[in-house]
Amino acid sequence: MLRRLYDWTMSLAATRHAEKALFGVSFAESSFFPIPPDVLLIPMVVAKPTHWIRLALVSTFASVLGAVVGYAIGMFLYELVGQPILALYGAENSFNRIAEWYNTWGGWGVLFAAITPFPYKVLTIFSGATGLNFFVFMVVSIIGRSARFFLVAWLLGRYGEPIRVFIEKYLGLLFTLFMALLLGGFYLVKFAF
């Protein structure tokens, strides 16, 4: 099943709708969607390594736009939408406990979440809800998301074929590691906050 999903994703990466799907997933992941855009970015760059800059730009731009939506959810719809989303990720009780600290040091948290597998959407919503300075939020989001997506895309664009062979050879192990990182990020959210 995993192999069929991989083959389907690789075939999607070569279609004319691939960039729209990448944009949509990158946008949604920054505000509410649990799956990171890497699941599309990686096979898309492997399928078209010469397009790595364009694909990194699409991911970055869409992700930062989605982060603005996450910030707005936190700022204007925290009780209606933000709290249930944070509850989904186990971070609903953290608001009062760290809001004051977050407004002083939250930029570093957003930067950390923007670069790592940590669930970025939790901090985009939290940033709006606590009133983190929007300029700081945007700067660290742009830096962090650019660093993440450009590094991944550049590595795959430069070393795409050997990486594709490696991915295909160790698909099961890599999927397990990816899921461990993803779940570890959710676990960290639940117990760190």
Side-chain angles (χ1 to χ4, degrees):
M1 179 181 87
L2 186 57
R3 183 64 197 196
R4 282 194 312 255
L5 181 60
Y6 173 79
D7 291 339
W8 175 81
T9 306
M10 287 298 285
S11 68
L12 172 66
T15 69
R16 61 186 174 97
H17 301 292
E19 285 187 27
K20 293 175 191 165
L22 179 62
F23 185 94
V25 169
S26 298
F27 178 86
E29 184 268 341
S30 294
S31 51
F32 64 88
F33 193 61
I35 307 297
D38 305 74
V39 298
L40 284 178
L41 178 64
I42 291 169
M44 288 175 69
V45 175
V46 168
K48 294 182 179 180
T50 59
H51 291 87
W52 73 268
I53 292 174
R54 179 179 173 87
L55 297 171
L57 279 170
V58 167
S59 293
T60 301
F61 181 71
S63 184
V64 171
L65 279 179
V68 171
V69 171
Y71 189 95
I73 288 170
M75 180 170 268
F76 301 112
L77 302 170
Y78 179 71
E79 289 183 19
L80 181 65
V81 179
Q83 276 183 326
I85 292 173
L86 292 178
L88 179 67
Y89 295 104
E92 71 276 14
N93 295 325
S94 62
F95 185 82
N96 293 330
R97 192 173 68 218
I98 65 168
E100 186 177 321
W101 174 90
Y102 189 79
N103 282 329
T104 303
W105 301 102
W108 291 107
V110 173
L111 182 62
F112 171 79
I115 294 173
T116 67
F118 189 87
Y120 181 54
K121 78 242 2 91
V122 170
L123 291 185
T124 65
I125 293 168
F126 204 75
S127 295
T130 63
L132 179 68
N133 180 289
F134 187 72
F135 178 76
V136 169
F137 174 78
M138 288 301 295
V139 168
V140 296
S141 290
I142 291 167
I143 291 169
R145 290 318 236 184
S146 295
R148 175 178 173 172
F149 296 132
F150 274 87
L151 178 62
V152 168
W154 176 77
L155 287 171
L156 290 166
R158 181 161 173 101
Y159 305 106
E161 186 58 26
I163 290 174
R164 184 188 63 76
V165 170
F166 179 80
I167 288 171
E168 289 178 359
K169 183 175 181 180
Y170 298 105
L171 185 61
L173 176 63
L174 292 171
F175 177 76
T176 302
L177 288 172
F178 173 77
M179 291 307 294
L181 285 172
L182 184 64
L183 294 174
F186 289 124
Y187 180 82
L188 186 61
V189 166
K190 185 170 186 160
F191 293 103
F193 294 109

